[in-house]
Amino acid sequence: VEGTERVFKDLEKHPAVAAIRPNLTVRLPQPIPSRRVTIQQNFTWGLQKIRVPEAWQTFQVQGEGVTVGVIDSGIDPDHPDLRGKIRQQNGWFDPVNGRTTPYDDQGHGTHVAGTIAGGNASGVHIGVAPKATLIVAKALDASGVGTFEWLTASLQWMLDPDGDPNTDDGADVVNNSWGTFVSNSPTMIPEWRDIINAWIAAKIFPAFAIGNSGPNSRTTASPGDYPMAFAVGATDIN
């Protein structure tokens, strides 16, 4: 809804209106500066850092049977490390531009999808769980900005992509590499808190970026700093 202050004051009095929220915007986290990393043993430095090769060997699992949701700027379905990773039925949602086939006009979504489930087309493993299936919601535009409206729609979609509560087609894990990375941002948006709690009730693991600007205090981001979210920051090669 767009309108004057008087319009919103009148709307607030309507019995069908629970609350009115501004359509705030969020941005991608700023990457930490890095220098070129030397790849060892056909795995990226990041996968080695979190002991992915050891996990694959010890537990004999690479994401088989797991559906991972990605809320970001989209995905390049033709990237050689991501071909065939997106679920064919109800695997794509685009509240930004309403397009029916996957794309990524910013690049960040393809990057995080690769970290999650990318293969080794270049000869180097880039993904933590290359046998996982992806479902993708494009909630960030070409400049890396997402609105409350787009993000809320995407968060809800991850619970039930086909709109039928009798089918089990929601994500098992959802990756959210975005947030309110500004000091004056609201620290708790009730609607997002409620959705994340609904995810947990539906056995969806909520992974959120918390920012890459630590280790000082007050450098975290919402919703990554919600107590029910699992927050991830970054470390550099040092």
Side-chain angles (χ1 to χ4, degrees):
V1 175
E2 295 182 3
T4 65
E5 183 178 0
R6 180 175 178 179
V7 167
F8 287 110
K9 285 184 176 179
D10 288 342
L11 276 174
E12 279 187 316
K13 299 173 185 176
H14 195 286
V17 176
I20 294 177
R21 308 287 181 208
N23 196 22
L24 61 84
T25 58
V26 305
R27 294 182 176 273
L28 296 170
Q30 292 298 309
I32 55 176
S34 63
R35 58 177 179 264
R36 190 171 184 84
V37 174
T38 302
I39 303 299
Q40 303 289 340
Q41 300 175 352
N42 299 322
F43 286 88
T44 63
W45 175 83
L47 295 193
Q48 294 180 69
K49 174 72 172 179
I50 62 172
R51 301 168 67 188
V52 165
E54 181 182 344
W56 288 0
Q57 183 173 11
T58 302
F59 301 105
Q60 294 295 301
V61 62
Q62 293 185 331
E64 298 91 338
V66 177
T67 299
V68 181
V70 180
I71 298 178
D72 213 283
S73 64
I75 188 171
D76 176 4
D78 297 320
H79 191 289
D81 280 303
L82 293 171
R83 287 194 192 109
K85 305 282 185 178
I86 308 168
R87 191 171 68 192
Q88 293 297 307
Q89 296 293 324
N90 302 303
W92 169 255
F93 177 58
D94 177 13
V96 179
N97 296 309
R99 292 169 60 176
T100 57
T101 56
Y103 67 101
D104 186 357
D105 52 8
Q106 202 280 337
H108 188 265
T110 299
H111 157 61
V112 299
T115 302
I116 294 164
N120 63 335
S122 66
V124 176
H125 289 285
I126 67 169
V128 173
K131 294 184 180 179
T133 299
L134 299 176
I135 60 174
V136 180
K138 178 178 174 60
L140 306 177
D141 64 15
S143 59
V145 174
T147 68
F148 175 82
E149 176 189 5
W150 300 336
L151 290 158
T152 301
S154 298
L155 290 161
Q156 293 175 330
W157 179 80
M158 285 292 171
L159 276 163
D160 189 13
D162 70 354
D164 182 355
N166 295 309
T167 58
D168 183 13
D169 66 328
D172 298 306
V173 181
V174 181
N175 183 83
N176 303 269
S177 293
W178 50 268
T180 52
F181 297 99
V182 290
S183 59
N184 61 351
S185 64
T187 57
M188 182 71 79
I189 299 171
E191 289 78 13
W192 289 353
R193 176 200 62 202
D194 294 343
I195 293 171
I196 296 169
N197 280 329
W199 279 3
I200 294 168
K203 295 181 170 54
I204 296 174
F205 186 87
F208 281 84
I210 205 169
N212 301 326
S213 55
N216 294 329
S217 61
R218 300 187 181 275
T219 56
T220 60
S222 296
D225 62 359
Y226 292 7
M228 72 288 292
F230 189 90
V232 181
T235 62
D236 63 19
I237 198 168
N238 297 313

